[in-house]
Amino acid sequence: MGLLAFAVLGATGGWQAHRALSVKDHLEVVKGELLQLRAAATATGDPTAVTGSLRTALSHAAEARRITAGADWALLERLPFVGDGTAVVRSLSDSAAELTEALTDLQQSGTALAATGMRSMSDLRLVLAAVAKAEPVLKSAAARLDAVRARLVATPASTGLSELDEARATALAELDKLHGWLGAAETAAALLPPMLGRDGPRRYFLAFQTNAEARGTGGLVGAFGILEVAGGRINVKRLDSNAGIAEARTPVVDYGPAYRARYGPGATSLLSISNLSPHFPYAAGIWTGLWERQTGRRLDGAIATDPEGLAYLLRLIGPVTLPGGERVTADNVVDLTERAAYERFEDPVERKRFLIGIAGAVSESLTGHLAEPAAALPILAELISERRLQVWSRREAEQRLLAATPLGGELPASAGPFAGLVVNNAAGGKLDYYLERSVDYELGPCYGGLRYARVRIRLGNDVPRRPLSSYVTGRLDSPEEKHAEGANLLWVSLYAGVGARLNAAWLDGRAISVLEGKERSHPVFSKMVELAPRQSRTLELSLVEPSSNKPAQAPAQPLVRPQRTRIMQNPQGCTP
């Protein structure tokens, strides 16, 4: 809660000063125990590991609330000089008490969930029933935190005591973080039981994306399977390479003329270009449509992951061993699937068989660990936040819940400052394993309902100097032309905020024209960019945006190497 400057309350008398310092001591204990609780929960993923810290925090928070709940404390809040400070102290005490009580309920629910998982390794139905029971607990905790935050927000932000003001700001920030986590957990508790077959069998298209060849949702679909959930069990069937999905003679879905104009008619009939858009539901609709057109069997949705996602899952389940004895771990799976496989196997069929073997081994091992939800949650949270796992459901109620989370992979159609960089590989090789990206989004002050903004995109081709497989470096876009070995070609797109207009664009400092389009209300500015081996290039765009006080967003496309992002907001803020 911060080191609170309670000494000022001494002006009201020694006894009140003593009580104020006592409250400070209790809140400091609460802060320390909650920090230990967070570290223990993160390290172990086991709710039982935090019982001691939570019990101590609960006791001290209750005592701080008791001290500040009386009529004498309420009287202090009416006095000049100290009134604002004492009001904030009381609200902090209430917040600590409500928070620790809510966390206690959550911990007890989590312990019951973990115990259920340990008893039911072979039957997912019991776990799903326990998850469903946790949903009202999560909803109640979220409601309590809403009320606590509202009361704390209503207290003065400036009391004249810097340490107290910092404590208030820190408490609000922590409440926001916890509320976000609770919202995600509540959504998961609502979605998991039905989507994992509680009410009947489910079948999903399972896509394994190869980020070494970038696509809007992450990477080219290199392999796929059909995930089936029935009778409390999960199975992955029909694992195959992308060659197992034939091109449809006619489009399997229709997303309208703007989509066709931007991506071409083949995007809704051919798997290799089905996910050029960053809006995951578009890709999911095409994948399920292609499968249903080919087999006549209806699917309930689609799920996508990538080698980075497999690395997260291997952190959960531990290494897997392939039939030939090779061990695949969280540390080597990305390199194996996105680089080494192209050097090891000249025959594409052999390479795809190797990749399918890895995906199958992870899938088989994972099913035995889904019954350990307490251990899985921290890892799954990271995986989802990086969009290494994306899910689409055919059922509208489920999809509405998914769309409100990173799991849904949606390109939001809402207004507000936005700078989304999306790259699609236009060369047909696998050089995006070496792609470096950074985005600087600078927002200026607002005038007359508008403001200027500048987006600076840096792209680097960090390809090594040693020779690489021709499958990696090949240029399918123009095979008859001579290119430097390791040169890459990218279709680079900036998705700007709704209502934004382009003022000017530059590539490496030279003025250029860009292709302008629109997708889900976002103006999109695109340019083909050639990257020579080990070359870095800078694309800059000057924009005129509508005024907005919403926080700026610059989402990162899930590729191999992380995007470096900086958002520079004008300190004067912006009033629409």
Side-chain angles (χ1 to χ4, degrees), residues 93-136:
S93 300
D94 285 343
S95 300
E98 291 283 348
L99 176 61
T100 52
E101 289 172 8
L103 289 175
T104 299
D105 291 343
L106 291 170
Q107 187 267 341
Q108 291 172 350
S109 177
T111 300
L113 186 58
T116 300
M118 294 303 293
R119 293 195 306 269
S120 55
M121 292 294 287
S122 62
D123 192 344
L124 193 60
R125 289 173 296 186
L126 295 177
V127 178
L128 295 180
V131 170
K133 288 178 65 175
E135 183 186 359

Coordinates of all heavy atoms in Angstrom, one line a residue, residues 93-136:
S93 N -8.2 0.9 3.6 CA -8.5 -0.2 4.6 C -9.6 -1.1 4.1 O -9.6 -2.3 4.1 CB -8.7 0.4 6.0 OG -7.6 1.1 6.4
D94 N -10.7 -0.4 3.7 CA -11.9 -1.1 3.1 C -11.4 -2.0 1.9 O -11.8 -3.1 1.8 CB -13.0 -0.2 2.7 CG -13.7 0.4 3.9 OD1 -13.6 -0.2 5.0 OD2 -14.4 1.4 3.8
S95 N -10.6 -1.3 1.0 CA -10.2 -2.0 -0.2 C -9.4 -3.3 0.2 O -9.5 -4.3 -0.4 CB -9.3 -1.1 -1.0 OG -10.1 0.0 -1.4
A96 N -8.5 -3.1 1.1 CA -7.6 -4.3 1.5 C -8.5 -5.4 2.1 O -8.3 -6.6 1.8 CB -6.6 -3.8 2.6
A97 N -9.5 -5.0 2.9 CA -10.4 -6.1 3.5 C -11.2 -6.8 2.4 O -11.3 -8.0 2.4 CB -11.3 -5.4 4.6
E98 N -11.8 -6.0 1.6 CA -12.6 -6.6 0.5 C -11.8 -7.5 -0.4 O -12.2 -8.5 -0.8 CB -13.3 -5.5 -0.3 CG -14.4 -4.8 0.5 CD -15.7 -5.6 0.6 OE1 -15.8 -6.6 -0.1 OE2 -16.6 -5.2 1.4
L99 N -10.6 -7.0 -0.7 CA -9.7 -7.7 -1.6 C -9.3 -9.0 -1.0 O -9.3 -10.1 -1.7 CB -8.5 -6.8 -1.9 CG -7.4 -7.5 -2.8 CD1 -7.9 -7.9 -4.1 CD2 -6.2 -6.5 -2.9
T100 N -8.8 -9.0 0.2 CA -8.4 -10.2 0.8 C -9.5 -11.2 1.0 O -9.3 -12.4 0.9 CB -7.7 -10.0 2.2 OG1 -8.5 -9.2 3.0 CG2 -6.4 -9.2 2.0
E101 N -10.7 -10.7 1.3 CA -11.9 -11.6 1.4 C -12.2 -12.3 0.1 O -12.5 -13.5 0.0 CB -13.1 -10.8 2.0 CG -13.0 -10.5 3.5 CD -14.1 -9.5 3.9 OE1 -15.0 -9.3 3.1 OE2 -14.1 -9.0 5.0
A102 N -12.2 -11.4 -1.0 CA -12.5 -12.0 -2.3 C -11.4 -13.0 -2.7 O -11.7 -14.1 -3.3 CB -12.5 -10.9 -3.3
L103 N -10.1 -12.7 -2.4 CA -9.0 -13.6 -2.7 C -9.2 -14.9 -1.9 O -8.8 -16.0 -2.4 CB -7.7 -13.0 -2.5 CG -7.3 -11.9 -3.4 CD1 -6.0 -11.2 -3.0 CD2 -7.1 -12.4 -4.9
T104 N -9.7 -14.8 -0.7 CA -9.9 -16.0 0.1 C -10.9 -16.9 -0.5 O -10.8 -18.2 -0.6 CB -10.3 -15.7 1.5 OG1 -9.3 -14.9 2.1 CG2 -10.5 -16.9 2.4
D105 N -12.0 -16.3 -1.0 CA -13.1 -17.1 -1.7 C -12.5 -17.8 -3.0 O -12.7 -19.0 -3.2 CB -14.2 -16.2 -2.1 CG -15.0 -15.8 -0.9 OD1 -14.9 -16.4 0.2 OD2 -15.8 -14.8 -1.0
L106 N -11.7 -17.0 -3.7 CA -11.1 -17.5 -4.9 C -10.1 -18.7 -4.6 O -10.0 -19.7 -5.3 CB -10.4 -16.4 -5.7 CG -11.3 -15.3 -6.3 CD1 -10.4 -14.2 -6.8 CD2 -12.1 -15.9 -7.5
Q107 N -9.3 -18.5 -3.5 CA -8.3 -19.5 -3.2 C -9.0 -20.8 -2.8 O -8.6 -21.9 -3.2 CB -7.5 -19.0 -2.0 CG -6.3 -19.9 -1.7 CD -6.6 -20.9 -0.6 OE1 -7.6 -20.6 0.2 NE2 -5.9 -21.9 -0.5
Q108 N -10.1 -20.7 -2.1 CA -10.8 -21.9 -1.7 C -11.5 -22.6 -2.9 O -11.4 -23.8 -3.0 CB -11.9 -21.5 -0.7 CG -11.4 -21.1 0.7 CD -12.5 -20.6 1.6 OE1 -13.6 -20.3 1.2 NE2 -12.1 -20.3 2.9
S109 N -12.0 -21.8 -3.8 CA -12.5 -22.4 -5.0 C -11.4 -23.0 -5.9 O -11.6 -24.1 -6.4 CB -13.2 -21.3 -5.9 OG -13.7 -21.8 -7.1
G110 N -10.2 -22.4 -5.9 CA -9.1 -22.9 -6.7 C -8.6 -24.2 -6.1 O -8.2 -25.1 -6.8
T111 N -8.6 -24.3 -4.7 CA -8.1 -25.5 -4.1 C -9.1 -26.6 -4.4 O -8.6 -27.8 -4.7 CB -8.1 -25.3 -2.6 OG1 -7.1 -24.2 -2.3 CG2 -7.6 -26.5 -1.9
A112 N -10.4 -26.4 -4.4 CA -11.3 -27.4 -4.7 C -11.2 -27.9 -6.2 O -11.2 -29.1 -6.5 CB -12.8 -26.9 -4.5
L113 N -10.9 -26.9 -7.0 CA -10.7 -27.2 -8.4 C -9.5 -28.1 -8.6 O -9.5 -29.1 -9.4 CB -10.6 -25.9 -9.3 CG -10.5 -26.0 -10.8 CD1 -11.7 -26.7 -11.3 CD2 -10.4 -24.6 -11.4
A114 N -8.4 -27.7 -7.9 CA -7.1 -28.5 -8.0 C -7.3 -29.9 -7.5 O -6.9 -30.9 -8.1 CB -6.0 -27.8 -7.3
A115 N -8.0 -30.0 -6.4 CA -8.3 -31.4 -5.8 C -9.1 -32.2 -6.8 O -8.9 -33.4 -6.9 CB -9.0 -31.2 -4.5
T116 N -10.1 -31.6 -7.4 CA -10.9 -32.3 -8.4 C -10.0 -32.8 -9.6 O -10.1 -34.0 -10.0 CB -12.0 -31.4 -9.0 OG1 -12.8 -31.0 -7.9 CG2 -12.9 -32.1 -10.0
G117 N -9.1 -31.9 -10.0 CA -8.2 -32.3 -11.1 C -7.4 -33.5 -10.7 O -7.2 -34.5 -11.5
M118 N -6.8 -33.5 -9.5 CA -6.0 -34.6 -9.1 C -6.7 -35.9 -9.0 O -6.2 -37.0 -9.2 CB -5.3 -34.3 -7.8 CG -4.4 -33.1 -7.8 SD -3.0 -33.4 -9.0 CE -2.1 -34.7 -8.2
R119 N -8.1 -35.9 -8.7 CA -8.9 -37.1 -8.6 C -9.4 -37.6 -9.9 O -9.9 -38.7 -10.0 CB -10.1 -36.8 -7.7 CG -9.8 -36.5 -6.3 CD -11.0 -36.7 -5.4 NE -12.1 -35.9 -5.9 CZ -12.4 -34.6 -5.5 NH1 -11.6 -34.0 -4.6 NH2 -13.4 -33.9 -6.0
S120 N -9.2 -36.7 -11.0 CA -10.0 -37.1 -12.2 C -9.1 -37.0 -13.5 O -9.5 -36.4 -14.5 CB -11.2 -36.2 -12.4 OG -10.8 -34.8 -12.3
M121 N -7.9 -37.4 -13.4 CA -6.9 -37.3 -14.5 C -7.5 -37.9 -15.8 O -7.2 -37.5 -16.9 CB -5.6 -37.9 -14.1 CG -4.8 -37.2 -13.0 SD -4.3 -35.6 -13.6 CE -3.0 -36.1 -14.7
S122 N -8.3 -39.0 -15.6 CA -8.8 -39.6 -16.8 C -10.2 -39.2 -17.2 O -10.8 -39.8 -18.2 CB -8.8 -41.2 -16.5 OG -9.6 -41.5 -15.5
D123 N -10.9 -38.3 -16.5 CA -12.2 -38.0 -16.8 C -12.4 -36.4 -16.7 O -12.4 -35.9 -15.6 CB -13.2 -38.7 -15.8 CG -14.6 -38.5 -16.3 OD1 -14.9 -37.7 -17.2 OD2 -15.5 -39.3 -15.8
L124 N -12.5 -35.8 -17.8 CA -12.5 -34.3 -17.9 C -13.9 -33.8 -17.4 O -14.0 -32.7 -17.0 CB -12.2 -33.9 -19.3 CG -12.0 -32.4 -19.5 CD1 -10.7 -32.0 -18.7 CD2 -11.8 -32.1 -21.0
R125 N -14.9 -34.7 -17.4 CA -16.2 -34.2 -17.0 C -16.3 -33.7 -15.6 O -16.9 -32.7 -15.3 CB -17.2 -35.4 -17.1 CG -17.5 -35.7 -18.6 CD -18.4 -36.9 -18.7 NE -17.7 -38.1 -18.2 CZ -18.1 -39.4 -18.3 NH1 -19.3 -39.6 -18.8 NH2 -17.5 -40.4 -17.8
L126 N -15.5 -34.3 -14.6 CA -15.5 -33.9 -13.3 C -14.9 -32.5 -13.1 O -15.3 -31.6 -12.4 CB -14.8 -34.9 -12.4 CG -15.5 -36.2 -12.2 CD1 -14.7 -37.2 -11.4 CD2 -16.9 -36.1 -11.6
V127 N -13.8 -32.3 -13.9 CA -13.1 -31.0 -13.9 C -14.0 -29.9 -14.5 O -14.1 -28.8 -13.9 CB -11.8 -31.1 -14.8 CG1 -11.1 -29.7 -14.8 CG2 -10.9 -32.1 -14.2
L128 N -14.7 -30.2 -15.5 CA -15.6 -29.2 -16.1 C -16.7 -28.8 -15.2 O -17.1 -27.7 -15.1 CB -16.1 -29.7 -17.4 CG -15.1 -29.9 -18.6 CD1 -15.8 -30.4 -19.8 CD2 -14.3 -28.6 -18.8
A129 N -17.2 -29.8 -14.4 CA -18.2 -29.5 -13.4 C -17.7 -28.6 -12.3 O -18.4 -27.6 -11.9 CB -18.8 -30.8 -12.8
A130 N -16.4 -28.8 -11.9 CA -15.8 -28.0 -10.9 C -15.6 -26.6 -11.5 O -15.7 -25.6 -10.7 CB -14.5 -28.6 -10.4
V131 N -15.2 -26.5 -12.7 CA -15.0 -25.1 -13.3 C -16.3 -24.4 -13.4 O -16.3 -23.2 -13.1 CB -14.4 -25.3 -14.8 CG1 -14.4 -24.0 -15.5 CG2 -13.0 -25.8 -14.7
A132 N -17.4 -25.1 -13.7 CA -18.7 -24.4 -13.8 C -19.1 -23.9 -12.4 O -19.7 -22.8 -12.3 CB -19.7 -25.4 -14.3
K133 N -18.7 -24.6 -11.3 CA -19.0 -24.2 -10.0 C -18.2 -23.0 -9.6 O -18.6 -22.2 -8.7 CB -18.8 -25.3 -9.0 CG -19.8 -26.5 -9.1 CD -19.5 -27.6 -8.1 CE -19.6 -27.1 -6.7 NZ -19.3 -28.2 -5.7
A134 N -17.1 -22.8 -10.2 CA -16.2 -21.7 -9.9 C -16.7 -20.4 -10.5 O -16.4 -19.3 -10.0 CB -14.8 -21.9 -10.3
E135 N -17.6 -20.4 -11.5 CA -18.0 -19.2 -12.2 C -18.7 -18.2 -11.3 O -18.4 -17.0 -11.3 CB -18.9 -19.6 -13.4 CG -19.3 -18.4 -14.2 CD -20.3 -18.7 -15.3 OE1 -20.7 -19.9 -15.5 OE2 -20.7 -17.8 -16.0
P136 N -19.7 -18.7 -10.5 CA -20.3 -17.6 -9.6 C -19.4 -17.0 -8.6 O -19.6 -15.9 -8.2 CB -21.5 -18.4 -9.0 CG -21.1 -19.9 -9.1 CD -20.3 -20.0 -10.4

